[in-house]
Amino acid sequence: MNTRLKIICILFGVSYLFLIGQVIYNEVIPEFVAGFKEGVKSVAKQHTGDETKESLPELYSFYVKPLSGSFTFPTPLKNLKTGKLVNAETNTFKIVLNTPVKLPGWIAIAKIIYKLSAFLILFFLIYIPILVYKLTRSIIQNVLFDEINVKRIRRIGYSILVLFGLLVFSSLVCTAEAKNVFSFEDYKIVHSLGVDYYLLLIGLITLLFAEILKISHKMKEEQDLTI
Amino acid sequence: MSIIVNLDVMMAKRKISLNELSEKVDITPANLSILKTGKAKAIRFSTLEALCKELDCQPGDILEWRVEN
């Protein structure tokens, strides 16, 4: 097997695992732990007979931009190293609210769809690594120019694009919801996809690669059938 | 495809088997079988030359063009 191809495959596998691991470690586990703690707290309240009707806390996560424009650093922060105030700026907020806020009908419906789409996102987050694993294993086994591999790469591309669409939708819903609930002194709520825009590029590049591989497969087939 | 390979006809005329011909033209029997059954996508001039030499015929005797239905 081509050594360069093998090295790229191994690097790809390692970086993909690292990326997934990082997301799980930084995002999934803390969210799960926080949710679990809230659940335990809620159950404990029920057992102790605390009848105060308190709804489950709602987490809001959204992008913000300083009202005075980017790179204006409107937030003072105390630097404990020097004890002095430093000017800072943030781009994301994560806010938890214990009191429920009544949302307009269309946002409430969009939020239900957004919550249901979480299952689809989960499906793709499992489906894409499976396809990547099968593809990598196939390449390592020296089967590159294969119709199945073309289909796999195409499926990966389409899955990434659908995932991107779902993330755009969820981001739009979160922003609309946050705009309805919050208004800040120094910051305005903005819609942004952050690093998710890379998914669009990755999806399109994957589809492009699938088409190139399809043409290469056809050429190899012709080459093999030239007597 | 509208190009028909008449290798089997020529082989029958020359009373030569596939294995024998494959040895003489230095092509594997598998590849010669692909050519004979019309599954081949292309043929090299060198292969055609070797076949014509061994079968003592013209390229037109091996390949034929027919209007596709």
Side-chain angles (χ1 to χ4, degrees):
Chain A
M1 186 192 173
N2 188 340
T3 318
R4 196 183 289 176
L5 194 62
K6 201 174 182 177
I7 291 167
I8 292 170
C9 271
I10 292 166
L11 283 175
F12 176 71
V14 170
S15 46
Y16 198 87
L17 282 176
F18 177 74
L19 187 78
I20 295 282
Q22 203 196 18
V23 170
I24 290 172
Y25 182 75
N26 289 332
E27 299 281 333
V28 179
I29 293 176
E31 269 186 45
F32 178 77
V33 169
F36 187 76
K37 277 180 184 169
E38 279 302 325
V40 169
K41 219 189 280 176
S42 171
V43 171
K45 270 183 185 175
Q46 279 178 4
H47 275 279
T48 51
D50 188 357
E51 288 298 319
T52 47
K53 281 269 179 184
E54 195 180 290
S55 60
L56 284 171
E58 193 75 40
L59 180 75
Y60 298 88
S61 179
F62 48 89
Y63 285 88
V64 288
K65 195 178 166 184
L67 276 173
S68 44
S70 291
F71 297 96
T72 51
F73 310 100
T75 313
L77 276 181
K78 192 174 182 182
N79 182 3
L80 291 176
K81 292 262 182 194
T82 57
K84 286 179 183 172
L85 284 177
V86 288
N87 292 326
E89 180 179 323
T90 184
N91 295 111
T92 54
F93 274 169
K94 274 181 190 161
I95 297 174
V96 67
L97 272 188
N98 287 316
T99 46
V101 179
K102 195 162 165 52
L103 297 166
W106 70 273
I107 294 181
I109 293 165
K111 211 178 158 189
I112 292 167
I113 300 168
Y114 152 66
K115 281 186 176 172
L116 287 174
S117 74
F119 290 103
L120 265 176
I121 292 172
L122 186 69
F123 166 75
F124 283 116
L125 286 178
I126 296 166
Y127 185 58
I128 296 169
I130 290 171
L131 286 175
V132 170
Y133 168 73
K134 280 183 178 173
L135 179 72
T136 316
R137 196 183 59 177
S138 171
I139 294 169
I140 287 171
Q141 284 171 352
N142 224 358
V143 188
L144 175 62
F145 296 103
D146 195 7
E147 192 66 35
I148 299 168
N149 279 346
V150 175
K151 279 181 186 168
R152 275 180 194 146
I153 297 172
R154 209 177 275 162
R155 277 181 203 155
I156 293 171
Y158 284 130
S159 300
I160 291 172
L161 288 181
V162 173
L163 193 62
F164 169 75
L166 289 170
L167 291 173
V168 170
F169 175 70
S170 62
S171 170
L172 283 169
V173 173
C174 285
T175 311
E177 190 188 7
K179 276 184 179 172
N180 196 68
V181 179
F182 305 105
S183 181
F184 305 105
E185 209 173 293
D186 295 330
Y187 288 94
K188 62 178 172 187
I189 298 162
V190 289
H191 172 253
S192 171
L193 278 169
V195 291
D196 291 342
Y197 272 117
Y198 285 111
L199 281 179
L200 178 66
L201 284 177
I202 294 168
L204 290 174
I205 288 169
T206 310
L207 284 179
L208 185 72
F209 182 63
E211 289 313 304
I212 291 169
L213 193 70
K214 191 187 167 191
I215 295 165
S216 310
H217 169 62
K218 205 175 170 187
M219 281 167 76
K220 191 185 179 289
E221 204 178 61
E222 280 192 3
Q223 177 69 27
D224 287 348
L225 288 172
T226 298
I227 312 297
Chain B
M1 206 157 73
S2 53
I3 297 290
I4 311 294
V5 180
N6 289 321
L7 189 63
D8 49 348
V9 178
M10 284 310 295
M11 281 166 66
K13 276 184 187 171
R14 301 289 181 258
K15 293 187 176 64
I16 189 167
S17 71
L18 187 95
N19 285 329
E20 206 180 328
L21 185 63
S22 72
E23 271 175 32
K24 282 181 176 173
V25 294
D26 199 23
I27 297 171
T28 61
N31 277 344
L32 203 59
S33 176
I34 289 169
L35 189 63
K36 204 180 101 176
T37 51
K39 287 175 188 167
K41 295 260 181 186
I43 183 166
R44 289 190 189 94
F45 280 147
S46 57
T47 310
L48 194 59
E49 188 188 348
L51 286 171
C52 288
K53 198 176 167 185
E54 281 308 318
L55 297 169
D56 190 24
C57 63
Q58 290 298 314
D61 297 326
I62 298 171
L63 303 173
E64 185 192 342
W65 176 75
R66 274 187 214 162
V67 181
E68 211 169 3
N69 290 329

